[in-house]
C-alpha cells in the first residue's frame, strides 16, 4: 500500500495504490517502469497506471501533498489485517476518498472505496498480470460485476459491487512484446459524482 506524504522527485502519481501477490504471481500489480529512453516511459508514472481512481482522466492533483494518504486505522488479529486510509488529500477534485483494505486469512481481500467528486468523470482502475474476463453479473437490476484474472500459478476472482451500475473497459500495457499489465477500468454513468 502506497501511503504517506507525496514527494515530487522521481515519484509516481500513485498514493493509495496497492498490490497483491500470491504463489509467485502478481495478481493486482503495478505496470512498473521501462527504459527511460523509451518515449512512453513517463506515462507509466500516471495515476491511470496504478490501482487508484482518476477524475476526468487526470493524475492525482494533491490538495495537500503532506496529507496525500493518511492512515486512519491499522489493526490485525489472528484471522485478519485491516487498513483504512483517507486519500482525499491526493485529489483537488474529490471531496472524499476513503479506501479500506481488509485481508481475511486465507485468501479473501476486500477493498472498499468511498468517493465523492466535485467534478464528473470518476474512473476506478485495477491492474493485473492475469488477463481480465467477465465472469457474469446478476439480474438486470444488479450492480455486482464479476471478473476473473488468470495467471500461470494463481488466479483471482473479483466480485465488484457498487451502489450504481458501472461500465467496464479493458486494455493492456506492453513494451517490446513484454506484458506490463492488463487493466480493468470501471466508470459510472455520465455526470455521476459519487462512487
Amino acid at each position: 500500500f502506497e501511503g504517506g506524504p507525496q514527494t515530487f522527485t522521481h515519484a509516481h502519481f500513485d498514493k493509495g495504490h496497492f498490490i497483491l501477490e500470491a504463489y509467485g504471481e502478481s495478481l493486482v500489480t503495478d505496470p512498473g517502469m521501462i527504459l527511460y529512453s523509451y518515449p512512453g516511459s513517463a506515462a507509466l508514472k500516471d495515476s491511470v497506471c496504478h490501482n487508484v481512481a482518476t477524475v476526468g482522466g487526470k493524475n492525482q492533483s494533491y490538495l495537500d501533498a503532506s496529507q496525500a494518504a493518511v492512515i486512519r486505522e491499522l489493526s490485525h488479529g489472528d484471522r485478519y489485517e485491516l487498513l483504512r486510509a483517507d486519500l482525499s488529500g491526493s485529489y483537488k477534485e474529490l471531496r472524499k476518498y476513503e479506501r479500506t483494505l481488509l485481508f481475511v486469512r486465507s485468501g479473501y481481500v476486500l477493498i472498499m472505496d468511498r468517493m465523492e467528486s466535485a467534478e464528473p468523470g470518476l474512473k476506478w482502475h485495477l491492474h493485473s498480470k492475469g488477463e481480465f474476463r467477465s465472469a457474469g453479473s446478476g439480474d438486470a437490476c444488479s450492480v455486482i460485476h464479476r471478473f476473473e484474472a488468470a495467471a500461470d500459478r494463481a488466479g483471482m476472482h473479483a466480485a465488484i459491487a457498487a451502489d450504481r451500475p458501472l461500465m467496464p473497459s479493458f486494455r493492456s500495457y506492453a513494451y517490446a512484446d513484454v506484458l506490463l499489465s492488463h487493466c480493468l477500468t470501471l466508470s459510472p454513468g455520465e455526470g455521476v459524482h459519487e462512487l
Side-chain angles (χ1 to χ4, degrees):
F1 177 79
E2 177 66 21
Q6 173 69 351
T7 59
F8 295 95
T9 305
H10 207 71
H12 290 210
F13 299 95
D14 65 348
K15 288 303 175 188
H17 170 76
F18 66 97
I19 61 172
L20 175 65
E21 296 177 349
Y23 304 103
E25 294 289 356
S26 188
L27 297 175
V28 177
T29 194
D30 183 323
M33 285 304 293
I34 54 178
L35 296 173
Y36 290 126
S37 59
Y38 176 65
S41 66
L44 292 174
K45 295 168 60 172
D46 290 349
S47 294
V48 71
C49 291
H50 296 87
N51 302 310
V52 295
T54 56
V55 182
K58 298 181 281 189
N59 285 326
Q60 292 179 333
S61 52
Y62 304 107
L63 177 65
D64 184 349
S66 70
Q67 299 290 307
V70 178
I71 296 174
R72 300 286 186 208
E73 182 179 354
L74 183 60
S75 60
H76 61 90
D78 291 341
R79 303 186 57 92
Y80 77 95
E81 303 283 340
L82 174 76
L83 182 140
R84 189 173 54 84
D86 180 355
L87 306 179
S88 57
S90 291
Y91 299 83
K92 291 178 182 172
E93 303 83 8
L94 293 182
R95 293 185 201 106
K96 176 192 292 187
Y97 190 171
E98 296 171 352
R99 169 161 277 179
T100 301
L101 294 105
L102 173 66
F103 172 56
V104 181
R105 292 181 179 83
S106 64
Y108 293 94
V109 177
L110 170 72
I111 294 95
M112 184 172 74
D113 284 351
R114 297 183 68 203
M115 292 173 272
E116 184 179 324
S117 178
E119 300 178 14
L122 278 171
K123 292 190 176 189
W124 189 84
H125 309 280
L126 188 66
H127 292 263
S128 179
K129 293 290 185 178
E131 186 170 4
F132 287 103
R133 64 177 180 270
S134 178
S137 296
D139 57 40
C141 298
S142 175
V143 289
I144 296 178
H145 298 271
R146 298 183 191 283
F147 299 94
E148 296 176 344
D152 291 339
R153 294 178 302 275
M156 172 175 62
H157 298 279
I160 299 170
D163 59 0
R164 59 189 34 92
L166 300 173
M167 178 68 69
S169 62
F170 305 91
R171 74 174 288 186
S172 296
Y173 293 85
Y175 168 68
D177 297 328
V178 174
L179 173 73
L180 301 176
S181 75
H182 297 286
C183 182
L184 164 65
T185 297
L186 295 164
S187 53
E190 289 292 319
V192 174
H193 292 256
E194 291 183 50
L195 190 59

